Amino acid sequence: MISVVVFHFLAGSVAGTIFAVRTLLTLVALVLIECVGVTIALGLSIGLWSVGGLIAIQVGYLGGIYLRNMLELAGIAEPYVRPRHRY
């Protein structure tokens, strides 16, 4: 189960580096469904490990945001530019 937590952390950090918060909300919803399914299928003790995956994806997302900021400050990555829409 440690590998699952590590995978969720890496997925969160990649999402934090590249995508916006809507992606985090989608990932959290999917992992929450996964947590419920694992708890039902394998029991409460394994279900608690899957909650660790839910926490890991959120911490990984924050780490990805931090990494993106550091890359932007170093001049390696370009800042996220959102196009303006005129109505």
Side-chain angles (χ1 to χ4, degrees):
M1 290 305 290
I2 298 282
S3 60
V4 172
V5 172
V6 169
F7 175 74
H8 283 104
F9 179 80
L10 291 175
S13 60
V14 168
T17 305
I18 300 172
F19 300 110
V21 175
R22 288 183 291 186
T23 305
L24 173 66
L25 295 175
T26 304
L27 287 174
V28 166
L30 290 173
V31 172
L32 186 61
I33 292 169
E34 175 189 0
C35 289
V36 172
V38 166
T39 303
I40 290 171
L42 301 176
L44 187 60
S45 63
I46 302 296
L48 291 176
W49 274 101
S50 63
V51 171
L54 184 63
I55 294 168
I57 203 161
Q58 295 174 12
V59 172
Y61 190 83
L62 289 175
I65 290 173
Y66 181 73
L67 177 65
R68 175 71 180 191
N69 187 25
M70 292 295 109
L71 292 175
E72 288 175 0
L73 290 176
I76 297 170
E78 295 181 11
Y80 177 70
V81 178
R82 187 174 199 167
R84 293 185 180 183
H85 298 286
R86 295 187 183 219
Y87 297 103

PDB file of all heavy atoms in Angstrom, residues 28-44 46-48 50-51 54:
ATOM      1  N   VAL A  28      -9.272  14.395  -6.563  1.00  0.00           N
ATOM      2  CA  VAL A  28      -9.740  14.096  -5.206  1.00  0.00           C
ATOM      3  C   VAL A  28     -11.043  13.318  -5.262  1.00  0.00           C
ATOM      4  O   VAL A  28     -11.238  12.370  -4.491  1.00  0.00           O
ATOM      5  CB  VAL A  28      -9.877  15.399  -4.387  1.00  0.00           C
ATOM      6  CG1 VAL A  28     -10.662  15.171  -3.112  1.00  0.00           C
ATOM      7  CG2 VAL A  28      -8.508  15.948  -4.061  1.00  0.00           C
ATOM      8  N   ALA A  29     -11.935  13.676  -6.168  1.00  0.00           N
ATOM      9  CA  ALA A  29     -13.198  12.937  -6.296  1.00  0.00           C
ATOM     10  C   ALA A  29     -12.935  11.488  -6.718  1.00  0.00           C
ATOM     11  O   ALA A  29     -13.533  10.557  -6.160  1.00  0.00           O
ATOM     12  CB  ALA A  29     -14.112  13.629  -7.303  1.00  0.00           C
ATOM     13  N   LEU A  30     -12.037  11.287  -7.667  1.00  0.00           N
ATOM     14  CA  LEU A  30     -11.722   9.925  -8.105  1.00  0.00           C
ATOM     15  C   LEU A  30     -11.063   9.097  -7.002  1.00  0.00           C
ATOM     16  O   LEU A  30     -11.398   7.925  -6.804  1.00  0.00           O
ATOM     17  CB  LEU A  30     -10.816   9.962  -9.336  1.00  0.00           C
ATOM     18  CG  LEU A  30     -11.470  10.447 -10.628  1.00  0.00           C
ATOM     19  CD1 LEU A  30     -10.418  10.604 -11.717  1.00  0.00           C
ATOM     20  CD2 LEU A  30     -12.552   9.501 -11.063  1.00  0.00           C
ATOM     21  N   VAL A  31     -10.148   9.710  -6.257  1.00  0.00           N
ATOM     22  CA  VAL A  31      -9.476   8.981  -5.183  1.00  0.00           C
ATOM     23  C   VAL A  31     -10.445   8.715  -4.030  1.00  0.00           C
ATOM     24  O   VAL A  31     -10.361   7.672  -3.374  1.00  0.00           O
ATOM     25  CB  VAL A  31      -8.219   9.745  -4.715  1.00  0.00           C
ATOM     26  CG1 VAL A  31      -7.611   9.124  -3.476  1.00  0.00           C
ATOM     27  CG2 VAL A  31      -7.199   9.783  -5.836  1.00  0.00           C
ATOM     28  N   LEU A  32     -11.383   9.609  -3.791  1.00  0.00           N
ATOM     29  CA  LEU A  32     -12.398   9.369  -2.765  1.00  0.00           C
ATOM     30  C   LEU A  32     -13.279   8.179  -3.132  1.00  0.00           C
ATOM     31  O   LEU A  32     -13.580   7.333  -2.283  1.00  0.00           O
ATOM     32  CB  LEU A  32     -13.246  10.618  -2.556  1.00  0.00           C
ATOM     33  CG  LEU A  32     -14.247  10.567  -1.413  1.00  0.00           C
ATOM     34  CD1 LEU A  32     -13.522  10.365  -0.093  1.00  0.00           C
ATOM     35  CD2 LEU A  32     -15.057  11.838  -1.384  1.00  0.00           C
ATOM     36  N   ILE A  33     -13.641   8.072  -4.399  1.00  0.00           N
ATOM     37  CA  ILE A  33     -14.395   6.907  -4.865  1.00  0.00           C
ATOM     38  C   ILE A  33     -13.547   5.645  -4.706  1.00  0.00           C
ATOM     39  O   ILE A  33     -14.038   4.595  -4.295  1.00  0.00           O
ATOM     40  CB  ILE A  33     -14.845   7.109  -6.330  1.00  0.00           C
ATOM     41  CG1 ILE A  33     -15.890   8.221  -6.412  1.00  0.00           C
ATOM     42  CG2 ILE A  33     -15.390   5.816  -6.925  1.00  0.00           C
ATOM     43  CD1 ILE A  33     -16.187   8.675  -7.818  1.00  0.00           C
ATOM     44  N   GLU A  34     -12.253   5.766  -5.011  1.00  0.00           N
ATOM     45  CA  GLU A  34     -11.342   4.646  -4.824  1.00  0.00           C
ATOM     46  C   GLU A  34     -11.269   4.236  -3.347  1.00  0.00           C
ATOM     47  O   GLU A  34     -11.276   3.049  -3.023  1.00  0.00           O
ATOM     48  CB  GLU A  34      -9.955   5.034  -5.326  1.00  0.00           C
ATOM     49  CG  GLU A  34      -8.896   4.010  -5.080  1.00  0.00           C
ATOM     50  CD  GLU A  34      -7.499   4.544  -5.402  1.00  0.00           C
ATOM     51  OE1 GLU A  34      -7.358   5.700  -5.819  1.00  0.00           O
ATOM     52  OE2 GLU A  34      -6.553   3.767  -5.212  1.00  0.00           O
ATOM     53  N   CYS A  35     -11.199   5.221  -2.452  1.00  0.00           N
ATOM     54  CA  CYS A  35     -11.142   4.926  -1.009  1.00  0.00           C
ATOM     55  C   CYS A  35     -12.376   4.171  -0.535  1.00  0.00           C
ATOM     56  O   CYS A  35     -12.263   3.196   0.213  1.00  0.00           O
ATOM     57  CB  CYS A  35     -11.028   6.221  -0.211  1.00  0.00           C
ATOM     58  SG  CYS A  35      -9.456   7.039  -0.340  1.00  0.00           S
ATOM     59  N   VAL A  36     -13.532   4.603  -0.973  1.00  0.00           N
ATOM     60  CA  VAL A  36     -14.765   3.932  -0.583  1.00  0.00           C
ATOM     61  C   VAL A  36     -14.804   2.512  -1.137  1.00  0.00           C
ATOM     62  O   VAL A  36     -15.163   1.569  -0.436  1.00  0.00           O
ATOM     63  CB  VAL A  36     -15.995   4.753  -1.048  1.00  0.00           C
ATOM     64  CG1 VAL A  36     -17.282   3.984  -0.838  1.00  0.00           C
ATOM     65  CG2 VAL A  36     -16.049   6.078  -0.301  1.00  0.00           C
ATOM     66  N   GLY A  37     -14.418   2.341  -2.387  1.00  0.00           N
ATOM     67  CA  GLY A  37     -14.400   1.012  -2.999  1.00  0.00           C
ATOM     68  C   GLY A  37     -13.432   0.063  -2.318  1.00  0.00           C
ATOM     69  O   GLY A  37     -13.754  -1.098  -2.068  1.00  0.00           O
ATOM     70  N   VAL A  38     -12.249   0.558  -1.990  1.00  0.00           N
ATOM     71  CA  VAL A  38     -11.254  -0.279  -1.319  1.00  0.00           C
ATOM     72  C   VAL A  38     -11.727  -0.642   0.085  1.00  0.00           C
ATOM     73  O   VAL A  38     -11.551  -1.769   0.537  1.00  0.00           O
ATOM     74  CB  VAL A  38      -9.884   0.436  -1.293  1.00  0.00           C
ATOM     75  CG1 VAL A  38      -8.922  -0.219  -0.323  1.00  0.00           C
ATOM     76  CG2 VAL A  38      -9.292   0.482  -2.680  1.00  0.00           C
ATOM     77  N   THR A  39     -12.337   0.305   0.777  1.00  0.00           N
ATOM     78  CA  THR A  39     -12.843   0.032   2.124  1.00  0.00           C
ATOM     79  C   THR A  39     -13.935  -1.024   2.094  1.00  0.00           C
ATOM     80  O   THR A  39     -13.967  -1.928   2.933  1.00  0.00           O
ATOM     81  CB  THR A  39     -13.359   1.321   2.769  1.00  0.00           C
ATOM     82  OG1 THR A  39     -12.308   2.292   2.780  1.00  0.00           O
ATOM     83  CG2 THR A  39     -13.828   1.075   4.190  1.00  0.00           C
ATOM     84  N   ILE A  40     -14.822  -0.943   1.127  1.00  0.00           N
ATOM     85  CA  ILE A  40     -15.892  -1.933   1.009  1.00  0.00           C
ATOM     86  C   ILE A  40     -15.327  -3.297   0.630  1.00  0.00           C
ATOM     87  O   ILE A  40     -15.714  -4.325   1.182  1.00  0.00           O
ATOM     88  CB  ILE A  40     -16.945  -1.467  -0.015  1.00  0.00           C
ATOM     89  CG1 ILE A  40     -17.722  -0.275   0.540  1.00  0.00           C
ATOM     90  CG2 ILE A  40     -17.910  -2.594  -0.371  1.00  0.00           C
ATOM     91  CD1 ILE A  40     -18.624   0.396  -0.480  1.00  0.00           C
ATOM     92  N   ALA A  41     -14.382  -3.313  -0.299  1.00  0.00           N
ATOM     93  CA  ALA A  41     -13.867  -4.589  -0.801  1.00  0.00           C
ATOM     94  C   ALA A  41     -12.888  -5.264   0.160  1.00  0.00           C
ATOM     95  O   ALA A  41     -12.933  -6.473   0.335  1.00  0.00           O
ATOM     96  CB  ALA A  41     -13.194  -4.371  -2.154  1.00  0.00           C
ATOM     97  N   LEU A  42     -11.999  -4.487   0.776  1.00  0.00           N
ATOM     98  CA  LEU A  42     -10.907  -5.097   1.530  1.00  0.00           C
ATOM     99  C   LEU A  42     -10.963  -4.870   3.035  1.00  0.00           C
ATOM    100  O   LEU A  42     -10.144  -5.425   3.758  1.00  0.00           O
ATOM    101  CB  LEU A  42      -9.562  -4.594   0.995  1.00  0.00           C
ATOM    102  CG  LEU A  42      -9.300  -4.883  -0.477  1.00  0.00           C
ATOM    103  CD1 LEU A  42      -7.991  -4.261  -0.909  1.00  0.00           C
ATOM    104  CD2 LEU A  42      -9.300  -6.375  -0.737  1.00  0.00           C
ATOM    105  N   GLY A  43     -11.844  -4.034   3.493  1.00  0.00           N
ATOM    106  CA  GLY A  43     -11.976  -3.827   4.926  1.00  0.00           C
ATOM    107  C   GLY A  43     -11.462  -2.470   5.378  1.00  0.00           C
ATOM    108  O   GLY A  43     -10.861  -1.718   4.617  1.00  0.00           O
ATOM    109  N   LEU A  44     -11.689  -2.209   6.664  1.00  0.00           N
ATOM    110  CA  LEU A  44     -11.404  -0.883   7.217  1.00  0.00           C
ATOM    111  C   LEU A  44      -9.909  -0.591   7.328  1.00  0.00           C
ATOM    112  O   LEU A  44      -9.481   0.532   7.089  1.00  0.00           O
ATOM    113  CB  LEU A  44     -12.073  -0.746   8.589  1.00  0.00           C
ATOM    114  CG  LEU A  44     -12.019   0.621   9.231  1.00  0.00           C
ATOM    115  CD1 LEU A  44     -12.711   1.646   8.342  1.00  0.00           C
ATOM    116  CD2 LEU A  44     -12.644   0.592  10.596  1.00  0.00           C
ATOM    117  N   ILE A  46      -7.353  -1.564   5.473  1.00  0.00           N
ATOM    118  CA  ILE A  46      -6.812  -1.191   4.158  1.00  0.00           C
ATOM    119  C   ILE A  46      -7.451   0.119   3.685  1.00  0.00           C
ATOM    120  O   ILE A  46      -6.808   0.929   3.011  1.00  0.00           O
ATOM    121  CB  ILE A  46      -7.052  -2.316   3.127  1.00  0.00           C
ATOM    122  CG1 ILE A  46      -6.405  -3.617   3.605  1.00  0.00           C
ATOM    123  CG2 ILE A  46      -6.529  -1.938   1.763  1.00  0.00           C
ATOM    124  CD1 ILE A  46      -4.898  -3.553   3.716  1.00  0.00           C
ATOM    125  N   GLY A  47      -8.695   0.347   4.057  1.00  0.00           N
ATOM    126  CA  GLY A  47      -9.365   1.600   3.712  1.00  0.00           C
ATOM    127  C   GLY A  47      -8.683   2.809   4.319  1.00  0.00           C
ATOM    128  O   GLY A  47      -8.649   3.878   3.722  1.00  0.00           O
ATOM    129  N   LEU A  48      -8.113   2.652   5.514  1.00  0.00           N
ATOM    130  CA  LEU A  48      -7.378   3.755   6.127  1.00  0.00           C
ATOM    131  C   LEU A  48      -6.109   4.073   5.358  1.00  0.00           C
ATOM    132  O   LEU A  48      -5.703   5.230   5.259  1.00  0.00           O
ATOM    133  CB  LEU A  48      -7.063   3.434   7.580  1.00  0.00           C
ATOM    134  CG  LEU A  48      -8.273   3.395   8.515  1.00  0.00           C
ATOM    135  CD1 LEU A  48      -7.849   2.972   9.902  1.00  0.00           C
ATOM    136  CD2 LEU A  48      -8.998   4.726   8.537  1.00  0.00           C
ATOM    137  N   SER A  50      -5.888   3.774   2.162  1.00  0.00           N
ATOM    138  CA  SER A  50      -6.327   4.486   0.964  1.00  0.00           C
ATOM    139  C   SER A  50      -6.658   5.943   1.273  1.00  0.00           C
ATOM    140  O   SER A  50      -6.532   6.803   0.404  1.00  0.00           O
ATOM    141  CB  SER A  50      -7.511   3.772   0.315  1.00  0.00           C
ATOM    142  OG  SER A  50      -8.612   3.755   1.171  1.00  0.00           O
ATOM    143  N   VAL A  51      -7.052   6.233   2.515  1.00  0.00           N
ATOM    144  CA  VAL A  51      -7.223   7.631   2.912  1.00  0.00           C
ATOM    145  C   VAL A  51      -5.865   8.337   2.905  1.00  0.00           C
ATOM    146  O   VAL A  51      -5.775   9.524   2.587  1.00  0.00           O
ATOM    147  CB  VAL A  51      -7.910   7.724   4.297  1.00  0.00           C
ATOM    148  CG1 VAL A  51      -7.894   9.139   4.833  1.00  0.00           C
ATOM    149  CG2 VAL A  51      -9.338   7.215   4.210  1.00  0.00           C
ATOM    150  N   LEU A  54      -5.391   9.670  -0.395  1.00  0.00           N
ATOM    151  CA  LEU A  54      -6.147  10.905  -0.596  1.00  0.00           C
ATOM    152  C   LEU A  54      -5.366  12.104  -0.065  1.00  0.00           C
ATOM    153  O   LEU A  54      -5.300  13.148  -0.713  1.00  0.00           O
ATOM    154  CB  LEU A  54      -7.504  10.791   0.099  1.00  0.00           C
ATOM    155  CG  LEU A  54      -8.480  11.936  -0.059  1.00  0.00           C
ATOM    156  CD1 LEU A  54      -8.874  12.090  -1.519  1.00  0.00           C
ATOM    157  CD2 LEU A  54      -9.715  11.698   0.788  1.00  0.00           C
TER     158      LEU A  54
END
